[in-house]
Amino acid sequence: ILVEDNSITMLGQIDEIGLFNHIHSSIPWNKNIKNRLEKLFSFTPTSGWANYLPTDQYKATIQSAYITWFLKLSEIDIQKITSRLRLKNDLRDKLLAAAKLWENKDTVMPLLPGEFTEAIEIFPPLSIFSFWITERNQSSKEKIEKFVNEWRLINPNITGTHLKEVGIPPGPIYHFILKKIRNAWING
């Protein structure tokens, strides 16, 4: 249904006959979800998003639709709904990641660019994309766009070899130092 031309109308009709509630009582359908899905389905990726998102457009559209639809649900509801709908674990994990990002957005969004990049690059691209589609705050959307188009691509020229050459003994400290150097580069 999610890739059909009239999918949003069909989903509305499914809701009207009470089928969503019959499948699981936590499956939401309202004007906000409808608007988010309309925004998703009408989106034409910029080159930054096109390079960041998976190349399988069909699968990405279906997964993004589910993520955008269920993004604001609790972890427990997502677990129950994905089980009931028999969605694949890969999609469930992306849904849970997006929900976690949404839940923590008040902590993540104010971070400096380097720390912001470090915090969100661990999330799957479709989770970040669906978060971006759902987010209404323009400065948050712009920050995510900066991450997609610029910050995630920044990698300093300094490596573990350089650290060893200046006398820092090899070990877990390298990861910490290199992460801090990258954050500083991103922060400018």
Side-chain angles (χ1 to χ4, degrees), residues 51-90:
N51 292 330
Y52 182 61
L53 295 172
T55 55
D56 183 346
Q57 200 61 41
Y58 181 80
K59 182 178 178 181
T61 299
I62 293 170
Q63 289 191 340
S64 294
Y66 276 117
I67 297 167
T68 302
W69 186 359
F70 299 146
L71 176 75
K72 295 183 179 182
L73 297 179
S74 71
E75 180 179 332
I76 293 168
D77 285 338
I78 289 171
Q79 294 277 14
K80 289 177 181 178
I81 291 169
T82 55
S83 175
R84 180 78 167 119
L85 294 175
R86 298 182 185 194
L87 300 178
K88 294 187 176 184
N89 290 343
D90 173 58

Side-chain angles (χ1 to χ4, degrees), residues 42-53 57 129 132 144-146 148-149 152:
S42 66
F43 177 74
T44 303
T46 61
S47 62
W49 280 114
N51 292 330
Y52 182 61
L53 295 172
Q57 200 61 41
F129 172 67
W132 178 80
I144 292 168
E145 289 168 11
K146 284 280 218 181
V148 168
N149 294 311
R152 71 182 179 89

Side-chain angles (χ1 to χ4, degrees), residues 89-164:
N89 290 343
D90 173 58
L91 176 53
R92 181 205 60 216
D93 294 345
K94 290 172 185 169
L95 276 160
L96 291 170
K100 183 175 181 179
L101 184 57
W102 186 263
E103 181 183 320
N104 293 302
K105 73 178 187 169
D106 291 338
T107 304
V108 173
M109 294 313 296
L111 294 172
L112 292 172
E115 289 72 18
F116 175 79
T117 298
E118 182 183 339
I120 73 164
E121 68 187 348
I122 62 171
F123 293 98
L126 285 178
S127 300
I128 294 171
F129 172 67
S130 298
F131 177 94
W132 178 80
I133 285 284
T134 303
E135 180 58 62
R136 290 183 178 176
N137 181 293
Q138 191 57 36
S139 65
S140 295
K141 290 178 80 71
E142 290 170 5
K143 194 169 196 175
I144 292 168
E145 289 168 11
K146 284 280 218 181
F147 163 77
V148 168
N149 294 311
E150 297 174 33
W151 300 335
R152 71 182 179 89
L153 304 172
I154 294 175
N155 288 303
N157 298 330
I158 297 171
T159 65
T161 303
H162 294 102
L163 298 179
K164 189 173 184 178

Side-chain angles (χ1 to χ4, degrees), residues 13-27:
Q13 292 170 343
I14 290 169
D15 181 59
E16 284 178 17
I17 63 172
L19 189 55
F20 289 145
N21 195 42
H22 180 72
I23 294 169
H24 193 278
S25 61
S26 294
I27 295 179

Side-chain angles (χ1 to χ4, degrees), residues 21-36:
N21 195 42
H22 180 72
I23 294 169
H24 193 278
S25 61
S26 294
I27 295 179
W29 187 257
N30 56 49
K31 184 178 177 181
N32 289 334
I33 294 167
K34 179 183 172 204
N35 291 342
R36 291 196 315 252

